[in-house]
Each structure stands twice: as C-alpha cells, then as structure tokens.
Amino acid sequence: MNAVDYTPDELIIVAMARELGGEYLVSAVTPFGQLAAVVAKHTHAPDLELLATPESGAGSDPWPSISLGQFQGLSQGAVPITMEDVFDAIFRDRFRIWINPAQIDRHGNVNITAIGPWERPKVALVGSRGIPEDSSHLSQMLFYILQHSPRTVVERVDFRSGAGWGPDRERHLGLAGAPTRLVTNLGVFDFDGPDHSLRLRSLHPGVTTAAVQEASGCPVVIPPDPPITPPPTPAELAVLRAHDPLELRRWEWASEVDGLRRRWQEERAHLPLDHPEVRRWR
Amino acid sequence: MNAVDYTPDELIIVAMARELGGEYLVSAVTPFGQLAAVVAKHTHAPDLELLATPESGAGSDPWPSISLGQFQGLSQGAVPITMEDVFDAIFRDRFRIWINPAQIDRHGNVNITAIGPWERPKVALVGSRGIPEDSSHLSQMLFYILQHSPRTVVERVDFRSGAGWGPDRERHLGLAGAPTRLVTNLGVFDFDGPDHSLRLRSLHPGVTTAAVQEASGCPVVIPPDPPITPPPTPAELAVLRAHDPLELRRWEWASEVDGLRRRWQEERAHLPLDHPEVRRWR
Amino acid sequence: MDKVLTVEAMVAKVPDGASIVFGGSSLSRKPMAVARELVRQGRRDLTLIVNIGGPEVDLLLGAGAVKKVVYAFVGFEILGLAPHFRQARQRGLAQFEEWTEYTVIAGLDATIKAVPFLPTRAGLGTDVLAVNPAFRRIADPFGSGQELVAVPALNPDFAFIHVNYADCAGNAAILGDTHIDPLAAKAARTTFVTCEKLVPPEVLRRFGRDASILRIWVDGVAEVPWGAHPTGCAPQYRFDLDAFTQYLEAAAEPERWAAYLDRVRQLSPEEYVDHWGGTAGLQARLRV
Amino acid sequence: MDKVLTVEAMVAKVPDGASIVFGGSSLSRKPMAVARELVRQGRRDLTLIVNIGGPEVDLLLGAGAVKKVVYAFVGFEILGLAPHFRQARQRGLAQFEEWTEYTVIAGLDATIKAVPFLPTRAGLGTDVLAVNPAFRRIADPFGSGQELVAVPALNPDFAFIHVNYADCAGNAAILGDTHIDPLAAKAARTTFVTCEKLVPPEVLRRFGRDASILRIWVDGVAEVPWGAHPTGCAPQYRFDLDAFTQYLEAAAEPERWAAYLDRVRQLSPEEYVDHWGGTAGLQARLRV
C-alpha cells in the first residue's frame, strides 16, 4: 500500500472522526468538529445525525461554513429543530460535540471563559456557553486543541467552564459528562491515568513522548511504547476534502485574515442556495 | 325595535360571549364554549385568537365540530401550535376557556372527576384534565352549566378538580385562577357575595329568583331587583347561527344520540376540507 | 439505518408489567393498532401513562391488561364516559393515579431534562394533591414564601405513537395537533412509532417543522394504515362513530364484550382493515 | 388589530434602567436596528439578557449604555472576541453575570411557567456556580440525594426580536434557527418584533409551524428591512464581513470608535441602509 499524503489538520480531523459512532445528534460549531462528523458519517458511522448549525438543520449533509450554516440547512430541506430539542438531546445523552477549549487541565476541566481571575480577567474570553450542560450529562466528552502548549494544556484551568474530574464531579455527577478524549496536534489522550489524569493514547506520526511532555503544562501519563495514531485512509481524506472545498479547516488552524475574506466571498458560489421563500418574496 | 326570536341555548351562548374580550387564546372544547368565542370575536371582541381544537390551530375561524376540529385548522391554514404553547398561555394568563363542570359549589370549586368519594366513586367521571392549571393561573375563570339543579350547583363539590375560594386559595393562590363567572340556564352569576360566595348578577328572561334558589343546592346571594340578562341581538344571533349550521349546540344541550349520528355524517359536507398533503399522498 | 418492523414485533418486545405512555389525545391519533396487539398478545399488569386518554386505555382495562393508570383525563369526549375506565374506577379493578394535563407534561419533561422533578403551581387548591401521593409540596428556594408542587419525573419503559408519515430511520411527521407525542418520544426508554405511510427520508424532510419527532428518539417504526382507527388521524381520516357505537354497545354487556375481545384477538392489523371494509370502505366513511 | 409602529417608537418606550432580552444568536438575526436605535436615543443603565450574545451587546457596551449583562456567551464567533465586552470585563466597566445556555433558557421558561425557579444539573462541577450569585443549590425533594441547581426566573422588561416575516397583528415567522426568540417573546413583559417584511395575516399563516411566535405574545411590530445587519438573516442575507471589519477596526482605537458612534447616532434605519449601498448594494454582497 502506498503512503498517503496528508496534512496535520487532516490527521487531527480524522483522529477526531474515529471517536464518533452510534446514532447521535452532532453539533456543528467549528470547521474541525463539523468535518470530523462528516468524515465519520461517510465512513464508519452512517447513523450520526449532523446539524447544519450549532442548533438546527437535522438530516442535512452540511460542510463547514463561515456564514452559510443556516442557508445550507434551509436549502437541503433539513428539519429545523429548536434549541430546546438540542438541550433535550444533551440531557438524554443523544448528542455529541467536539469542543475546542482555550485551556484544558490534567483532569479534563476546560476553560473558555477567562484567562486570569473571573472578576477582573487578564483576557476575557466568551463565557461558558453550553459546556456546563455537556459536561454534566454526556457519556462521551470530546475535546481538541490545535496548539498543544503549556498555555493550553495546563495543571489547573483558570476557570472551570466545563466539569472535569475532581471532588465536585465525584459528589454530584459521577460519569455523567466526564471527559473522555483529547485530540491535539501531538497525539490522542484520555483521562484514564491515576486519579483520572491525562494519559497519552497514541502519538501522531513523528511526534516523540518527550515533545508531548515538554509541550504540556502538567504531567502526562505516558505508557511504554505508545502506539502511533493511524494516518488517514484515502477514503477518509476523500470525504474530508470533498466537504471542505474552501479549506476552512486551514483557516481555523491558522486564523489568516485575508483567507477569511476570500472564503467569505467565495463560499456562496459553492452551494445550490435556492430557498423557495426567497424566490417568493423578493 | 322588534323582539328577536331566540332559543334558550342561544341566550346562554350569547351571555357567555359577552364575558369574553381582549387578546387571548380561546380554547375550543365544547360547542357552547366554541360558539361563545366565535360570537364574541365577530361582534365586540375581534382580537380574540380562536383555536380550532382544544390545543391547536391558531388564526382560524372554526365552528363547533364532532370530529373535524383538526381538519378545519389544517384546511384553513391555521398555525399549528403545541400543547406546551397552550400551557404557556395559561401560565402567563393569555388564555380563556369556558368550562362545563359536573358540579360547581358556592365558592366556585368545580368537579369533573368523580361523584362520591374519589377512591371508590359512585360515578367515575373523567379526571381533572387541565382545570387545575386554569384555576391556579387565569385572571378570569368562566363556567357554564346547562342544567342548573341541586345536583350541579351544590354546597360543596365531591372533588375539587378546580380551585374555588377557600383557605387553600387564600394561602397559595390569591386571585390567580379564582372563579369569576357562572352562566347557567337560569342566569348569570359571580362569586362576589360575602366570603366569595355565589351571587346572582342577572336573571334570564322569565326566570324568577325563587326558581334560582330552588334549583340551587346551596344558598345564592340574590340582590334586590336583579337585572334581566339582555337577550341576543340580531347581529349576535346571525353570527351564532352561521357558525353552527348543524346545530351542534342543540346536541350538547340535549345529547340526542340520533342527532349525533346524523351530524357526524353531514358535517364533512360543510367545510372545504382540502388539505394538500391528502392530495399529495393518496 | 432501517428500523422498520411489524407492530406484532414491536409489541412482542413489551414485557408484562411494563409502563407505557401513549401519544394522541382522546379520539385523535391514538395508537389503537398497538393497543389491540397488546390485547392479542395477552399482555398483563401494564402501567399506562396518558395525558388525555380514551379508547386505548378503555380497551386495555376492558381486556384486564392493566395494573395502573396514570392520567389527567380518560373519556370518550362527545361520546360520553369511558365504560371500562368508569367501571374499573368504581369497582377498584385497577390502581389509578390522577394527575393533570400539565403535570403529565412536566413529569415527562423532568425525565427529558434529567432532573428528578419540575415545579408548578398547578394543582394548588385542588383535591388532586390530596389523592395523588406522587406529588410533594415544596417551598420556593429563593424564599418568596410561595408553595409549589414538585412533580416527579415520569419514566415510561415504552412510548407508542401513531403519526401520519415516517421514514425507515424513525423520523416522524405529524400534520395536525402533536399532543404529547414529541415529549413521550423523548422521555421513554424505548420509543416505537406506527405510521399511516412510510416515505423516503428526503420526502419526510420536506415536512419541515411538522417532522416533529427526530429519529434519535425512535427505536422502531411500522407502517400501519388505519393504525389509529377508530380514532381519527387528520388529515387522512376522522374518528369512526359506527365503530365507537359498536364498542360502546359491546362494553355495556359482559357477553358481548367477551365476543368483542375475541374478535380483537383474532384479527391481525391487516385483517382488521378488511373487517372494516378495507381501505375503500373506510375511506368512503371516514375520509374528509 | 394593528400593532405596527416604527423602530424609533418602540425604542422610545424603553426607559433608562430597563432590562432587555435580545433574540438571535451570535452573528445571526440579531435585532441590530434596535440596538442602534437604543444608542441613538441615548439609553443608559440597561440590563441586557442574552444567551449567545454578540454585536448587539458589544455595541451597547461600547456606547456606555449598559449597567449589567446576563449572558452565556458574548463573542464574534469566527471573527474572534467581542472587543468592548472584553474591555468591559477586563476593566470592570459594567456588571457581568455568567449563566449558561440552558440556564438562560430555564430562567426565561420559569417566568413563562409562572414558577420562581427551574431545576437542572447543568453547572454542577463548574465555576459558574462560584461566580454567579443568582443560582441556589437545592436537594431533590424526593430524597434521592441528588443536588441540583435552582435557576431563578428571568423577568425581562422587554424582548426585542428580529424575524423574517410578520403580520400587523404581531404573528411572526422565523425560517431558520429560532434560537431563544419564542421563549424571549413569551417571557418579557413587553415584546417588540422587527421584521424584514410585513405580510398579510393570511400569508403569514401559510408558514405553518415556522410561524413560531403568536400575536398574543407581541406588543408591537415594525418593518425594518436589513434590521439584523451586519448580522445575517437567513434566507434573506448572510452576515456582512466588511461591516464587521469596519466595526472591529473602529473598536480598536478610541477616536475611531467615537466617530463610529457618531455615525450610528446620525443614521435613521432608512439612512443606515442607504449608507451601506441601499438594498441593491447590500443584496449584491449579502444575498445568497
């Protein structure tokens, strides 16, 4: 078998895709999360139900979008569901989402709220959004970090937007919403080390265990002879690339501003956006 | 002005209609309640929002039906709302309904659950349905009784399906859901007598105060020289009759079984029932 | 993904003693083919949970299949009282727990929201609180002094729902009133949908927000034309007054009722339609 | 019944110090014409309640109109952090209360259901409970030992919602995601709807379940084409990256921000559309 050419973003997305399975509503917040769901659905997890936006458009086959999520759902005849439907799916554990936190700590607590103290932050981020709901109800909690560093993988998060392991979880939540996976640019991790601590599951090709430890702001449990993350298959790559013709994943990866503008201009040419209501009323 | 011919059922319905006003969702459970709402909407209360069924079909102009409520709503393009929408309207006091209890007592407690003890009733009726919700939230609680008798207007109901006045109300509910009107075949009543007791507001034409007291299983506060219930106007009667071509109100009044069968057979001829989904799928 | 099975196979998965929530309301869109099949398979000791119950509860009570009924209402609406419900209540032939319309909704919603209870003011000042031991009274934790009713979560083992259209994956469209059906589908451990017609997924999606039950909540789906008969299923058909008249006449006398039940036990869902004159006969009387 | 008024007249009814819940979500269907009009009319000391807040919160914070923000999220999504929100949080320029997505929903729903609180497990194990004094911890009244979060009712004075279509009576149709808009409409004391286009009631009804806001909840309605700009309003238009780029550049520097605010204060809703090239210019860039 020939080696397949792939880029680091593609490896990460495919590693994320392989964690998904079963029949769940999968939310589409970020390009990486969206593409992981699309790849999973079109390879090993056909029963996933993808949303076109974070909260609506079930039964569609969306690709990542800067501004067209809702339009895709409408054009594809996706069933418009409500936020309440989404939270019902969260509370009943019929929901999956890949969350991209600003910080994650060795016990899987995550932070998207603030760097520094909450009352007067050094950097005010965005607020906990729906992570408290996810991290108290889902049986699978999936995180990814695109720049594994001591600033993103930390000993203790500055603010717990999502509940990792610790006394609060032991007392009130148990396994409901407990962290299960972390995929970074260096490897795949779980929280099955001693005392529910961060543990390496596989190293991405070419990454060393020393590099993982050095890039982490906390100790990482590293098993002897860790496996290598299997590279993307041709089938996985084909699905991924077909569903991201504008390479929005590269934008999430690198945040190039010019690239955003170009993609914003181009993306509406890529979808058959023809909603009957627009035709009727214009 | 010439006297207008009307029947007792029409007088009752018009008296009920006159109690309605404002912008409320009005439920359609019984022919009398439905017709009262229709008459009100087409005369003095144009802002009422009538439902085609007890829980759905807003924005339609339905008439009473044995089995076509939902079909009317669908055919008329009424907006299908949910039970949750209806209860939200109840809790926020944007809802009105005419309730026809089996028993009502002098403090406005009502019973549709059981005659005799709840545990082993002499007659098991139907269960409290949504009356507990109405009688704890609405600012106007409207009851009607078609056969005013000592068995229907009682000293104390056998079971409180709906909360009238009494210590429980004083403690927990105050005015929310308190009984406001009772219309019977003899007159119009409120609960503004001493200690929130049943009081005559107007006598139907030809009825005496003695007849009211005799037909009641509890004392009724009767003011000196009570007014006479104003008879239906020609406009009110025209609306009423136009919206009840099969005279379903007579059926509710008399429960004639043959009449029900005839009306069930005839009613589908009276509506332009032509739902696109039926055409598409048949 | 194909979740299609027969109504017989659905009901075979229901053990004696199971709790079941039924969709529909009074004479509208009740899963009657399922109720009949529960009788045919001789199920026993069921707990039925209904908001506005009617013929499905009455049939199962009349067949001796029921241990307990949780209900806000059981009746035949314009046709009067439910005969076996009335008899069973009056003679104590089963356990009954009287709830209210919203508290049934809240009990299902509590399960959906993974909380042990939801609070409401509904029921205060009524005797429902006196006869229903399931509720608790609680104080507002914010100290207003307001007393509230704590409605416990209802955890049905099964939900049975009859809809207009569904696809093989379990997405379901209801064109008229949805009643408690979307809630029931989400709250039950196992949810089974019967439908008038199976359609391809891309057709089902065209119903937009009428597709109110999403496949993630559904474990099995069966195409059962006239599956709500003798209740109605708008816009396909209205309730069948003739069939109800027969039912009420049979229920009035033990021997006729035994014969009625025998017939229920004999007829498969397909034979049931034939018995009532087939599609043509039913449409002639019941289509609108 | 005619509830039509101008956006200027709607906003004129909002006193300083009022609490406002906004519909929409992040860069989608935000009532931006209303937010601009609040700035134009110099409103002060507002309490803003949002689930997924974005440019509407940021503009009002940047104009000094805000006393307090109740939020689950405030950001510009793919465009990064909200500059004035970030500044105000970091410098303590307003009060902030961090909720979560479902607890905002539950707080509104508690008001709708006329209860002082609703329970949830969301928030347990997070620091939201530590920094948000609005919540209480309660025990399951049924004795399971489960601890729950009691979410207090949110009682906004006003809801502002921007929709695709509405009629003069206030019925409103939203074709894409409804976000928290139906809840906000029901929970607020006064609800105002702006819409892309007013249509006759019989046309509005054709939207079926997409007509998710019923007129009984609505106190006023205004036709404001492009009323969500620069956020998007599917299926009519998407968000305007050029306008956001201008905004973010202006927000980066005090003098430019002052000039930006001056322009907001000068332009009426109609002039605002002209400023952005009129309908033709906007459609050329933003229609999909």
Side-chain angles (χ1 to χ4, degrees):
Chain A
M1 199 171 86
N2 289 334
V4 178
D5 276 338
Y6 60 87
T7 52
D9 50 289
E10 292 170 336
L11 177 73
I12 294 171
I13 289 166
V14 167
M16 290 163 66
R18 291 173 183 163
E19 301 293 338
L20 295 170
E23 184 174 21
Y24 294 95
L25 212 56
V26 188
S27 183
V29 176
T30 64
F32 272 60
Q34 178 85 315
L35 285 168
V38 167
V39 170
K41 184 176 172 79
H42 289 269
T43 55
H44 65 279
D47 293 348
L48 294 176
E49 177 79 275
L50 309 192
L51 294 179
T53 76
E55 64 185 65
S56 192
S60 67
D61 194 8
W63 34 265
S65 155
I66 296 172
S67 61
L68 295 182
Q70 287 203 33
F71 300 89
Q72 288 183 77
L74 290 167
S75 296
Q76 295 177 344
V79 172
I81 62 174
T82 66
M83 281 191 88
E84 293 93 318
D85 287 327
V86 169
F87 282 102
D88 290 349
I90 292 171
F91 297 143
R92 296 286 278 169
D93 191 24
R94 308 279 170 100
F95 180 85
R96 293 293 181 260
I97 183 172
W98 276 100
I99 294 169
N100 176 215
Q103 296 178 323
I104 188 166
D105 70 23
R106 66 187 302 201
H107 294 297
N109 296 289
V110 295
N111 176 19
I112 62 167
T113 293
I115 305 300
W118 185 87
E119 291 73 13
R120 198 59 69 87
K122 188 163 152 248
V123 183
L125 302 172
V126 287
S128 296
R129 202 163 185 167
I131 300 184
E133 286 76 3
D134 300 323
S135 72
S136 49
H137 293 89
L138 300 183
S139 60
Q140 209 186 358
M141 280 296 285
L142 306 167
F143 301 105
Y144 73 99
I145 294 265
L146 296 181
Q147 295 182 303
H148 193 138
S149 84
R151 290 172 58 186
T152 55
V153 180
V154 300
E155 176 64 31
R156 177 144 181 75
V157 291
D158 292 353
F159 184 90
R160 289 179 299 163
S161 306
W165 283 100
D168 280 352
R169 168 166 299 284
E170 310 273 359
R171 194 173 313 125
H172 302 304
L173 296 171
L175 284 169
T180 46
R181 283 290 182 283
L182 169 65
V183 173
T184 78
N185 54 322
L186 301 182
V188 178
F189 305 82
D190 61 28
F191 297 87
D192 293 339
D195 202 22
H196 302 291
S197 62
L198 185 65
R199 186 181 72 167
L200 178 69
R201 287 177 69 86
S202 72
L203 282 172
H204 292 341
V207 178
T208 63
T209 58
V212 166
Q213 194 54 79
E214 193 181 339
S216 302
C218 63
V220 181
V221 177
I222 299 196
D225 290 323
I228 304 299
T229 309
T233 66
E236 287 166 333
L237 283 175
V239 171
L240 194 168
R241 291 170 184 171
H243 284 81
D244 191 20
L246 295 174
E247 300 194 332
L248 261 189
R249 64 191 183 279
R250 301 266 157 85
W251 183 84
E252 185 182 350
W253 178 262
S255 292
E256 354 137 26
V257 169
D258 290 344
L260 182 65
R261 183 172 181 73
R262 179 175 55 77
R263 283 162 186 139
W264 179 79
Q265 286 169 332
E266 287 177 6
E267 70 172 358
R268 64 176 157 165
H270 279 74
L271 259 193
L273 291 166
D274 181 33
H275 191 271
E277 292 308 328
V278 177
R279 270 184 277 130
R280 184 193 296 181
W281 290 116
R282 265 188 189 148
Chain B
M1 201 170 82
N2 290 334
V4 179
D5 277 338
Y6 61 86
T7 51
D9 50 290
E10 292 170 336
L11 177 72
I12 294 171
I13 289 166
V14 166
M16 291 163 66
R18 291 172 184 163
E19 301 292 339
L20 295 169
E23 185 174 19
Y24 294 95
L25 213 55
V26 188
S27 183
V29 176
T30 65
F32 273 61
Q34 179 85 316
L35 284 169
V38 167
V39 170
K41 184 178 171 77
H42 289 269
T43 56
H44 65 278
D47 294 348
L48 294 176
E49 178 77 274
L50 310 191
L51 294 180
T53 77
E55 65 186 66
S56 193
S60 67
D61 194 8
W63 33 267
S65 157
I66 297 172
S67 62
L68 295 183
Q70 285 203 35
F71 299 89
Q72 289 183 76
L74 289 168
S75 296
Q76 296 177 345
V79 172
I81 62 175
T82 66
M83 282 190 87
E84 294 94 316
D85 287 326
V86 169
F87 282 102
D88 290 349
I90 291 172
F91 297 142
R92 296 286 278 167
D93 191 26
R94 307 281 170 98
F95 181 85
R96 293 293 180 261
I97 183 171
W98 276 100
I99 294 169
N100 176 215
Q103 295 178 325
I104 188 166
D105 71 22
R106 67 187 302 203
H107 293 298
N109 297 290
V110 296
N111 176 18
I112 61 168
T113 294
I115 306 300
W118 185 88
E119 290 72 14
R120 197 60 70 90
K122 187 163 154 248
V123 183
L125 302 172
V126 288
S128 297
R129 202 162 184 167
I131 300 183
E133 286 77 3
D134 301 323
S135 74
S136 49
H137 293 90
L138 300 183
S139 61
Q140 209 186 358
M141 279 296 284
L142 306 167
F143 301 104
Y144 72 100
I145 293 265
L146 296 181
Q147 295 181 303
H148 193 139
S149 86
R151 290 172 58 186
T152 55
V153 180
V154 300
E155 175 64 30
R156 178 145 181 75
V157 291
D158 292 353
F159 184 91
R160 292 179 298 163
S161 306
W165 283 101
D168 280 352
R169 169 166 298 284
E170 311 272 0
R171 194 172 314 125
H172 302 303
L173 295 170
L175 284 168
T180 47
R181 282 291 182 281
L182 169 66
V183 173
T184 78
N185 54 324
L186 300 183
V188 179
F189 304 83
D190 62 28
F191 297 88
D192 294 338
D195 202 23
H196 303 290
S197 62
L198 187 64
R199 186 181 71 166
L200 179 70
R201 286 177 69 85
S202 72
L203 283 171
H204 291 342
V207 177
T208 64
T209 58
V212 166
Q213 194 54 80
E214 193 180 339
S216 302
C218 63
V220 181
V221 178
I222 300 196
D225 290 325
I228 305 298
T229 309
T233 66
E236 287 166 333
L237 283 174
V239 172
L240 195 168
R241 292 170 184 171
H243 284 82
D244 190 20
L246 295 174
E247 300 193 334
L248 262 189
R249 63 191 184 277
R250 301 266 158 84
W251 183 83
E252 185 182 350
W253 178 260
S255 293
E256 354 136 27
V257 169
D258 289 345
L260 183 64
R261 183 172 180 73
R262 180 176 55 76
R263 284 162 186 139
W264 179 78
Q265 286 169 332
E266 286 177 6
E267 69 172 0
R268 62 176 158 165
H270 280 73
L271 260 192
L273 291 166
D274 182 33
H275 191 271
E277 292 309 327
V278 176
R279 269 185 278 130
R280 183 193 297 182
W281 290 115
R282 265 189 190 147
Chain C
M1 178 183 8
D2 191 327
K3 298 176 184 166
V4 177
L5 70 177
T6 63
V7 68
E8 291 92 332
M10 280 179 181
V11 168
K13 292 178 193 289
V14 178
D16 284 350
S19 61
I20 299 174
V21 58
F22 287 116
S25 180
S26 60
L27 306 188
S28 176
R29 227 168 26 68
K30 282 290 176 189
M32 295 305 297
V34 167
R36 286 188 287 271
E37 189 63 28
L38 286 162
V39 173
R40 291 186 82 207
Q41 296 192 17
R43 214 57 80 243
R44 282 284 178 278
D45 293 326
L46 301 175
T47 291
L48 308 185
I49 300 170
V50 290
N51 193 324
I52 304 298
E56 84 287 31
V57 175
D58 203 72
L59 173 65
L60 288 163
L61 279 167
V66 180
K67 185 177 71 184
K68 181 176 176 181
V69 186
V70 171
Y71 66 100
F73 174 101
V74 179
F76 280 24
E77 299 283 7
I78 202 151
L79 304 178
L81 300 179
H84 296 109
F85 172 77
R86 180 178 172 180
Q87 192 175 69
R89 283 273 289 116
Q90 292 172 195
R91 298 193 193 161
L93 304 180
Q95 301 166 39
F96 293 91
E97 206 170 87
E98 183 158 323
W99 290 46
T100 72
E101 276 193 77
Y102 173 71
T103 55
V104 171
I105 290 174
L108 295 172
D109 207 23
T111 293
I112 295 167
K113 296 194 163 32
V115 288
F117 79 102
L118 285 174
T120 182
R121 297 201 302 176
L124 294 172
T126 75
D127 288 326
V128 174
L129 296 185
V131 301
N132 183 336
F135 299 145
R136 293 270 189 291
R137 290 163 182 263
I138 59 169
D140 172 11
F142 292 91
S144 69
Q146 170 76 53
E147 186 174 284
L148 298 160
V149 179
V151 181
L154 284 167
N155 289 285
D157 297 321
F158 294 89
F160 282 103
I161 290 163
H162 185 74
V163 304
N164 301 102
Y165 301 106
D167 66 23
C168 63
N171 294 298
I174 298 171
L175 300 187
D177 293 357
T178 49
H179 306 300
I180 62 164
D181 299 27
L183 285 164
K186 291 175 180 176
R189 288 186 188 84
T190 299
T191 293
F192 287 131
V193 169
T194 59
C195 65
E196 288 297 317
K197 191 171 170 66
L198 277 172
V199 297
E202 62 275 17
V203 172
L204 201 280
R205 281 207 303 273
R206 276 191 227 136
F207 289 102
R209 289 189 214 274
D210 285 337
S212 52
I213 296 177
L214 207 57
R215 66 175 163 91
I216 57 166
W217 307 108
V218 176
D219 299 281
V221 59
E223 187 178 73
V224 190
W226 306 95
H229 184 270
T231 69
C233 185
Q236 272 104 347
Y237 51 93
R238 59 184 180 148
F239 89 86
D240 187 346
L241 184 63
D242 295 334
F244 272 107
T245 305
Q246 272 196 21
Y247 181 94
L248 291 169
E249 285 169 2
E253 201 205 303
E255 272 181 35
R256 290 170 79 169
W257 180 244
Y260 188 97
L261 282 182
D262 278 347
R263 203 182 71 204
V264 169
R265 293 193 186 96
Q266 280 158 18
L267 300 177
S268 71
E270 297 75 22
E271 291 164 340
Y272 179 87
V273 172
D274 291 342
H275 172 84
W276 284 99
T279 295
L282 284 163
Q283 283 195 349
R285 287 186 304 116
L286 306 179
R287 76 149 51 140
V288 290
Chain D
M1 176 184 8
D2 192 326
K3 299 176 184 167
V4 176
L5 70 176
T6 62
V7 69
E8 291 91 333
M10 281 179 179
V11 168
K13 292 179 193 289
V14 178
D16 285 350
S19 61
I20 299 174
V21 58
F22 287 115
S25 180
S26 61
L27 305 188
S28 175
R29 227 169 25 69
K30 283 290 175 187
M32 295 306 296
V34 167
R36 286 188 287 270
E37 189 62 28
L38 286 163
V39 174
R40 291 186 80 207
Q41 296 192 17
R43 213 60 77 243
R44 282 284 176 279
D45 292 326
L46 301 175
T47 292
L48 307 185
I49 300 169
V50 290
N51 194 323
I52 304 298
E56 85 287 30
V57 175
D58 203 72
L59 173 65
L60 288 162
L61 279 167
V66 180
K67 185 177 70 184
K68 181 177 175 180
V69 186
V70 170
Y71 66 99
F73 175 100
V74 178
F76 280 25
E77 299 281 7
I78 202 151
L79 304 178
L81 301 179
H84 296 109
F85 173 77
R86 180 178 171 180
Q87 192 175 68
R89 284 273 288 117
Q90 292 173 196
R91 297 192 193 162
L93 304 179
Q95 301 165 38
F96 293 90
E97 207 170 86
E98 184 158 323
W99 290 46
T100 73
E101 276 193 78
Y102 173 70
T103 56
V104 171
I105 290 174
L108 296 171
D109 207 24
T111 292
I112 295 168
K113 296 193 163 33
V115 288
F117 79 102
L118 284 173
T120 181
R121 298 201 301 176
L124 294 172
T126 74
D127 287 326
V128 174
L129 296 184
V131 301
N132 183 336
F135 298 146
R136 293 271 188 290
R137 290 161 184 263
I138 59 169
D140 172 10
F142 291 91
S144 69
Q146 170 76 53
E147 185 173 285
L148 298 159
V149 179
V151 180
L154 284 167
N155 289 285
D157 297 321
F158 294 89
F160 282 103
I161 290 164
H162 185 74
V163 305
N164 301 101
Y165 301 107
D167 66 23
C168 64
N171 295 297
I174 297 171
L175 301 187
D177 293 357
T178 50
H179 305 301
I180 61 165
D181 299 26
L183 285 163
K186 292 175 180 175
R189 289 187 187 85
T190 299
T191 293
F192 287 131
V193 169
T194 59
C195 65
E196 287 298 316
K197 191 172 171 64
L198 276 171
V199 298
E202 63 273 18
V203 172
L204 201 280
R205 281 208 302 273
R206 276 191 228 137
F207 289 101
R209 289 189 215 275
D210 284 337
S212 52
I213 296 176
L214 208 58
R215 66 175 162 91
I216 58 166
W217 306 108
V218 176
D219 299 280
V221 60
E223 186 177 73
V224 190
W226 306 95
H229 183 271
T231 69
C233 184
Q236 274 105 346
Y237 51 92
R238 60 184 180 150
F239 89 87
D240 188 345
L241 183 63
D242 296 334
F244 273 107
T245 304
Q246 272 195 21
Y247 181 94
L248 291 169
E249 285 170 0
E253 201 206 304
E255 273 181 36
R256 290 171 79 170
W257 180 245
Y260 188 97
L261 281 182
D262 278 347
R263 203 183 70 203
V264 169
R265 292 194 185 97
Q266 280 159 17
L267 300 177
S268 72
E270 297 76 21
E271 291 164 339
Y272 178 87
V273 173
D274 291 341
H275 172 82
W276 284 99
T279 295
L282 284 163
Q283 283 195 348
R285 287 187 303 118
L286 305 180
R287 78 147 54 139
V288 288

